[in-house]
Amino acid sequence: MTQTTPQVQYREDYQAPHYWIDTLDLDVQLHDSATEVVAISRVRRNGEHDEPLVLDGEQLTLLQVAINGIDITQYQQTDNSLILSQLPEVFVLTIKTRLNPEANTALEGLYKSGSAFCTQCEAQGFRRITFYLDRPDVLARFSTRITADATAYPYLLSNGNRIDQGQLDDGRHWVQWQDPFPKPAYLFALVAGDFDVLRDTFTTQSGREVALEIFVNQGNLHRAGHAMDSLKAAMAWDEQRCQLEYDLDIYMIVAVDFFNMGAMENKGLNVFNDKFVLADPHTATDNDYLDVERVIGHEYFHNWTGNRVTCRDWFQLSLKEGLTVFRDQEFSSDLGSRTVNRIQNVRIMRGPQFAEDAGPMAHSIRPDAVIEMNNFYTVTLYEKGSEVIRMLHTLLGEPVFQQGLALYLQRFDGQAATCDDFVSVMSEASGRDLSRFTRWYSQAGTPVLSVTDEYDAVQQRYTLTVRQYTPPTPGQSQKLPLHIPLSVALYSAQGEPLTLTMEGVEVGPVLDVLEAEQQFVFEQVPSQPTPALLQSFSAPVKLDYPYTDEQLTLLAKHSIDEFVRWDAVQMLINNAVRDNVAQLQRQQQTVVPRPLLDVFRATLEDPLLDKALQAQMLTLPDIGSLLELFEQVDIDQLGQVHEQLHKELAVALQPLWLQAYQQNLTPQYQVEHQDIAKRAIKNVALGYLALAGETSLIQQQYRDADNMTDTLAALKAGVKAELSQVTPLLADFEQKWQQDGLVLDNWFRLQATAPGEDAVVRVQQLMTHPTFSINNPNRVRAVVGAFIMGNPLQFHRLDGGGYDLLTSVLTELNTSNPQVAARMITPLIQFARLDDARQLLIKARLQQLMALPNLSRDLFEKISKALA
Ligand code: B3K
Ligand code: ZN
């Protein structure tokens, strides 16, 4: 909180620290409202200077400072720092502080999650535990002694190895931990509580046995098995694909109820949002299972890409996050369907990421200026960051990429590195000039690739002319050409792939686009081909090529690349949406274009198609992604077209939907990729059947379901189609799960995203539900988050009711949990595509928030940019 204007930090201003801290011994006496921390560090001056030591610290009561064992009083304290001057070259610093975990609703630093203590230190939470050099380039060896009541907190956990423990006379006990690996403070963790523990072991490829422990709230042991399987799979995958082995003797995961994000990769002691740990068939959906696998993998992979090699400063965040997302995507793809994983990642890029790039917070994957670091854990840093790594992988190929990765990890092991370090190692390993490629790190915005083509029948030459253009983003008006890998294939009119020949030699599919405008000439092309462009989304760009519906139909039916088939259907849908919005403006009715209908029919009738892919091909993009097709659009009209297209497709193909439903029943629930695929297509079909008025199947599926995937799919289909028969089913679900917040979140989401004019009132009522708590981020996301992101038509109501609701929630979260507030404000700052009337309504709310007396830095940064 601040009254003065928050300070901007610039990447260019990086300076090495004036002091190093080599070891830190923490002694933590846990008490709900008055925890005391003694921090003893060995400090060493970095070079010759007489600069003071400026330690970060927030919301701490300072009790004692001593240097080399002697108490001192000559120090300066500001709101968020402790300044010590005239220091010896090397010394032992002792600092004693008091803090209040119980009052910590921001969930940063040390806090209470239900009855347990836990920590979240990334990015800058450690400064809420003690005064410290809270920056990622200061790496120290930590030891941690935790003392707490033995009955309430039988488990006392921290990083590294448990080296000692004991009982005290007053009913308290203690455990001593030591982490042999030097680490930055953001990787520190401490947990204390009473848990059920699932134990297992993993033997590494070099034969070391690692103890694996998963801690869950009592009574949830039966829901931890999938997390354990996922952890072992991740450990094996990293050995096989990347030759990377785990380095400690113990790996612990703790699942907690109150958590701002997904999970945290603290060394040897991951802390997880329980949503990404707990899973059993009765409480978790297929997607929940896959999410657990993905997030467990992600945090595990950080042990090398993040922990062993960390970031020099927070502007380099993508160094660990982009790379680790790439690794978790590859893990999921190797274990499941590569195409479906790719499709899901591309949906995130084309939806939330493109929207971020088009909004006031647009930033490159390595930002230049930051007010609140927590605001930069974004889809851009993570997902686009991963796309940039994926482009490198595409350009270098798997073997060379792996050699580069190995060289990077070897060279920077135990150090804090930069994005430039990473790219230069990749360049060294591959011998490729990546200088133009590095622009991906500095330029924000979504590039547009405009492609035109020309066929010369006499010469049998086919020429692609490629132009790249990146629109200006805030603070970056001029953009330079990027190095863009453009993957192409050419198809004959019969749908046969053609050999690519350039300058007399056969070439691979990836073209290196380097210039603002460039031509690629293919020879020996026997007839006018259809190009498949940007195969597998080979670069995070918007493609602009004037595809005809015939060409898209050909690709949707015949491409040998499955992703291209899906993408062709997406483009057909996009064309239908654009045309119908234009028609609606001329008061004409929505119609499903014939080619789209035919492709849907052919997709449903194709017996050889993978079921999971089929489900994806038949799923329309959501309204958020469709907004990106327009400069500006009336969202009500877009919603109307979206709904009508769904209904028409439902009715026109009803017998085929029914067939798809009946042919893909899974007799007994198994979390197995083929069954997941069957349920996916079956439940897509159920959604369309509900829209066509089919009600009995919904009731039947809800009644007969032996798993949460089918239960929820039945409810969702009924809710979206506004079938009254679903009301008693919803009541039944609530009754059954009201004691379990995580499961009830599904019910909250259904209610919050249901159509209907009463949505705002409904959401307000949900916020008074006994299971709801404004202090639990999962509940807030399930109710408010689902409403603002998943119910765009009601959120963007022209009477401003949706905006008012969010404004009042943000006003409350601004003081209790600024990080969650700043995440939830996203749809209020991304208004560029909306009509003028709504933009006005939104800006009035933003002004109202801007005037809050204690506006957090998190919200200040976003609102001030949105209003600029
Ligand atoms: N590194 C953490 C994110 C921390 C978020 C801080 N606001 C999770 C992850 O990306 O693995
Ligand atoms: Zn991460």
Side-chain angles (χ1 to χ4, degrees):
M1 305 304 139
T2 175
Q3 304 291 349
T4 50
T5 308
Q7 288 295 303
V8 185
Q9 313 280 336
Y10 297 94
R11 180 169 62 86
E12 273 185 3
D13 293 347
Y14 173 81
Q15 281 194 329
H18 292 312
Y19 295 85
W20 299 112
I21 299 177
D22 295 319
T23 62
L24 175 64
D25 299 329
L26 289 169
D27 184 331
V28 183
Q29 293 283 343
L30 287 173
H31 294 280
D32 282 1
S33 60
T35 287
E36 290 191 354
V37 178
V38 177
I40 303 176
S41 39
R42 291 180 179 278
V43 187
R44 179 166 49 94
R45 196 169 64 207
N46 181 14
E48 272 306 312
H49 63 74
D50 49 15
E51 298 289 335
L53 171 62
V54 182
L55 299 169
D56 309 293
E58 281 172 17
Q59 319 217 342
L60 295 170
T61 306
L62 181 61
L63 301 176
Q64 186 194 7
V65 185
I67 288 179
N68 292 330
I70 299 168
D71 282 9
I72 61 158
T73 48
Q74 272 102 314
Y75 52 77
Q76 242 181 294
Q77 234 192 308
T78 71
D79 261 2
N80 44 28
S81 66
L82 172 65
I83 304 167
L84 306 172
S85 315
Q86 289 169 352
L87 296 162
E89 192 178 334
V90 180
F91 58 97
V92 175
L93 175 64
T94 304
I95 295 175
K96 189 171 178 184
T97 48
R98 190 190 310 124
L99 52 132
N100 184 351
E102 200 176 49
N104 182 355
T105 55
L107 314 184
E108 263 192 298
L110 176 69
Y111 64 92
K112 289 294 295 281
S113 168
S115 52
F117 285 95
C118 70
T119 54
Q120 171 57 37
C121 294
E122 188 179 0
Q124 295 170 330
F126 193 71
R127 61 188 62 185
R128 293 172 180 227
I129 296 174
T130 185
F131 288 94
Y132 196 69
L133 286 178
D134 191 5
R135 45 187 290 168
D137 57 350
V138 172
L139 281 72
R141 281 202 171 76
F142 281 58
S143 79
T144 308
R145 183 183 155 120
I146 311 167
T147 309
D149 183 86
T151 318
Y153 309 103
Y155 292 99
L156 305 177
L157 314 174
S158 191
N159 318 84
N161 303 309
R162 184 180 334 183
I163 55 169
D164 203 1
Q165 55 195 321
Q167 295 289 331
L168 301 172
D169 294 339
D170 56 359
R172 290 167 71 79
H173 70 149
W174 59 272
V175 176
Q176 176 79 47
W177 292 85
Q178 192 167 53
D179 184 354
F181 292 94
K183 64 167 177 288
Y186 83 88
L187 289 173
F188 170 77
L190 176 159
V191 173
D194 194 1
F195 303 101
D196 281 346
V197 194
L198 183 64
R199 293 192 166 85
D200 206 331
T201 58
F202 179 84
T203 307
T204 67
Q205 59 185 4
S206 70
R208 275 186 318 107
E209 193 175 281
V210 180
L212 309 178
E213 299 182 344
I214 299 184
F215 298 79
V216 295
N217 281 344
Q218 285 182 338
N220 277 325
L221 203 58
H222 64 287
R223 289 160 87 181
H226 178 63
M228 185 63 86
D229 291 345
S230 302
L231 176 58
K232 290 190 284 183
M235 295 177 89
W237 182 87
D238 222 10
E239 290 184 349
Q240 279 154 22
R241 178 101 185 248
C242 306
Q243 305 302 312
L244 295 173
E245 198 177 298
Y246 186 60
D247 52 11
L248 283 165
D249 298 333
I250 181 167
Y251 193 92
M252 295 173 282
I253 290 175
V254 185
V256 299
D257 304 341
F258 288 70
F259 205 71
N260 280 344
M261 305 225 356
M264 179 62 212
E265 71 264 24
N266 318 297
K267 184 78 188 186
L269 176 56
N270 289 184
V271 178
F272 267 64
N273 184 331
D274 54 4
K275 177 180 167 56
F276 296 110
V277 172
L278 302 179
D280 74 32
H282 300 293
T283 55
T285 63
D286 291 338
N287 283 333
D288 292 334
Y289 271 90
L290 295 172
D291 280 345
V292 168
E293 180 182 273
R294 173 177 60 81
V295 180
I296 295 259
H298 180 97
E299 305 313 329
Y300 175 73
F301 302 140
H302 266 315
N303 190 54
W304 277 99
T305 51
N307 301 5
R308 289 288 287 256
V309 179
T310 190
C311 303
R312 187 194 68 176
D313 53 76
W314 288 121
F315 297 100
Q316 317 293 330
L317 179 62
S318 195
L319 175 71
K320 75 176 177 79
E321 294 306 345
L323 180 54
T324 305
V325 172
F326 173 76
R327 277 153 56 67
D328 85 52
Q329 290 177 352
E330 285 300 296
F331 169 59
S332 299
S333 301
D334 284 346
L335 265 59
S337 159
R338 181 162 287 274
T339 307
V340 171
N341 274 286
R342 194 65 194 129
I343 289 170
Q344 278 159 346
N345 300 333
V346 172
R347 284 193 199 271
I348 294 175
M349 287 301 297
R350 288 186 177 150
Q353 203 283 320
F354 282 6
E356 186 160 82
D357 259 348
M361 276 291 287
H363 52 276
S364 65
I365 65 166
R366 184 188 53 198
D368 294 316
V370 163
I371 290 179
E372 171 51 58
M373 190 54 216
N374 284 323
N375 281 341
F376 289 83
Y377 288 76
T378 57
V379 274
T380 300
L381 264 280
Y382 276 65
E383 312 298 325
K384 187 174 180 179
S386 167
E387 292 300 321
V388 170
I389 301 294
R390 186 171 295 284
M391 287 190 285
L392 271 178
H393 185 269
T394 303
L395 292 170
L396 271 49
E398 166 77 4
V400 177
F401 180 89
Q402 290 295 348
Q403 282 164 28
L405 180 63
L407 185 61
Y408 160 74
L409 293 175
Q410 185 198 332
R411 185 165 301 165
F412 294 100
D413 191 11
Q415 297 177 44
T418 64
C419 296
D420 283 340
D421 290 333
F422 181 79
V423 180
S424 73
V425 168
M426 284 295 173
S427 174
E428 181 182 329
S430 63
R432 288 193 64 147
D433 176 5
L434 297 173
S435 48
R436 189 156 288 200
F437 187 83
T438 59
R439 290 177 184 167
W440 281 107
Y441 284 87
S442 46
Q443 276 188 191
T446 308
V448 180
L449 268 194
S450 300
V451 181
T452 54
D453 57 352
E454 201 182 343
Y455 180 63
D456 180 340
V458 180
Q459 302 280 338
Q460 303 220 320
R461 278 165 181 258
Y462 178 68
T463 305
L464 287 176
T465 303
V466 182
R467 293 180 188 85
Q468 58 165 304
Y469 164 77
T470 305
T473 51
Q476 276 189 350
S477 48
Q478 299 294 322
K479 308 279 182 178
L480 298 167
L482 296 156
H483 185 169
I484 299 175
L486 174 62
S487 174
V488 303
L490 301 180
Y491 285 91
S492 73
Q494 290 70 45
E496 296 291 333
L498 304 172
T499 310
L500 303 181
T501 306
M502 291 170 96
E503 294 176 1
V505 286
E506 192 178 324
V507 296
V510 180
L511 307 177
D512 282 276
V513 176
L514 288 150
E515 308 300 333
E517 178 172 336
Q518 220 170 322
Q519 287 198 327
F520 299 90
V521 182
F522 298 95
E523 298 146 2
Q524 300 164 39
V525 181
S527 58
Q528 170 84 44
T530 291
L533 298 167
L534 203 68
Q535 298 189 103
S536 293
F537 195 67
S538 60
V541 302
K542 286 188 178 177
L543 174 70
D544 170 24
Y545 171 82
Y547 276 117
T548 63
D549 282 356
E550 291 68 35
Q551 288 177 308
L552 291 173
T553 301
L554 180 116
L555 292 177
K557 289 184 180 167
H558 298 295
S559 166
I560 40 172
D561 181 311
E562 291 185 331
F563 180 88
V564 169
R565 296 184 69 171
W566 170 79
D567 209 15
V569 182
Q570 294 295 296
M571 288 189 265
L572 276 172
I573 297 168
N574 291 348
N575 288 347
V577 170
R578 279 196 207 92
D579 293 349
N580 275 299
V581 168
Q583 298 235 42
L584 197 62
Q585 281 158 2
R586 296 192 297 267
Q587 322 275 316
Q588 281 160 356
Q589 246 194 323
T590 304
V591 279
V592 179
R594 189 78 216 188
L596 179 59
L597 194 61
D598 286 346
V599 164
F600 261 56
R601 182 177 291 113
T603 304
L604 274 164
E605 284 174 338
D606 185 342
L608 300 176
L609 204 56
D610 170 60
K611 302 291 173 199
L613 175 63
Q614 199 177 24
Q616 290 293 338
M617 287 173 75
L618 299 168
T619 302
L620 266 48
D622 61 21
I623 293 186
S625 311
L626 293 173
L627 271 175
E628 280 304 303
L629 300 176
F630 299 84
E631 275 298 314
Q632 260 196 348
V633 68
D634 178 345
I635 195 164
D636 282 334
Q637 291 183 341
L638 187 57
Q640 209 178 318
V641 166
H642 192 245
E643 188 187 326
Q644 274 307 116
L645 286 177
H646 268 120
K647 283 197 177 144
E648 300 232 351
L649 288 164
V651 174
L653 302 172
Q654 194 170 356
L656 287 177
W657 295 123
L658 191 59
Q659 204 177 6
Y661 184 86
Q662 284 159 343
Q663 285 174 350
N664 289 291
L665 298 167
T666 48
Q668 234 206 331
Y669 188 75
Q670 280 181 310
V671 189
E672 212 250 291
H673 282 282
Q674 270 190 356
D675 280 9
I676 293 176
K678 281 186 166 187
R679 281 188 291 275
I681 180 63
K682 180 195 68 174
N683 287 326
V684 165
L686 184 64
Y688 283 104
L689 288 166
L691 287 171
E694 178 70 65
T695 55
S696 58
L697 274 184
I698 303 259
Q699 289 166 313
Q700 189 188 329
Q701 174 161 323
Y702 182 83
R703 212 177 42 234
D704 297 349
D706 66 347
N707 65 83
M708 187 53 84
T709 307
D710 285 340
T711 302
L712 277 179
L715 293 177
K716 189 173 170 192
V719 164
K720 296 281 172 221
E722 300 183 76
L723 302 178
S724 59
Q725 290 85 345
V726 83
T727 311
L729 309 185
L730 283 168
D732 177 73
F733 189 96
E734 182 199 6
Q735 180 64 27
K736 203 160 160 193
W737 296 109
Q738 56 190 340
Q739 302 308 326
D740 191 325
L742 208 53
V743 182
L744 202 69
D745 280 348
N746 294 297
W747 181 85
F748 281 135
R749 276 189 286 270
L750 281 169
Q751 305 272 338
T753 56
E757 292 295 316
D758 62 329
V760 170
V761 179
R762 203 186 317 131
V763 171
Q764 279 160 342
Q765 275 165 2
L766 292 174
M767 290 178 67
T768 65
H769 192 282
T771 308
F772 181 84
S773 158
I774 192 82
N775 288 328
N776 186 313
N778 282 351
R779 297 302 92 75
V780 174
R781 284 186 282 257
V783 176
V784 186
F787 172 64
I788 63 176
M789 302 306 292
N791 203 342
L793 300 183
Q794 288 304 310
F795 173 63
H796 291 289
R797 289 172 67 85
L798 270 173
D799 66 6
Y803 303 147
D804 283 335
L805 186 148
L806 180 55
T807 305
S808 90
V809 172
L810 292 179
T811 304
E812 185 168 359
L813 288 173
N814 173 56
T815 43
S816 62
N817 191 332
Q819 234 184 92
V820 170
R823 293 210 154 245
M824 305 281 277
I825 204 173
T826 304
L828 276 192
I829 63 167
Q830 293 178 354
F831 49 67
R833 308 283 178 223
L834 301 172
D835 51 278
D836 296 344
R838 287 185 171 85
Q839 293 205 14
L840 273 177
L841 291 173
I842 289 175
K843 284 179 192 159
R845 272 56 178 196
L846 290 177
Q847 245 121 25
Q848 190 183 326
L849 289 166
M850 192 70 179
L852 285 177
N854 281 313
L855 187 64
S856 62
R857 290 192 309 182
D858 312 57
L859 282 181
F860 171 85
E861 180 166 41
K862 293 194 171 180
I863 300 174
S864 56
K865 284 185 179 168
L867 289 173

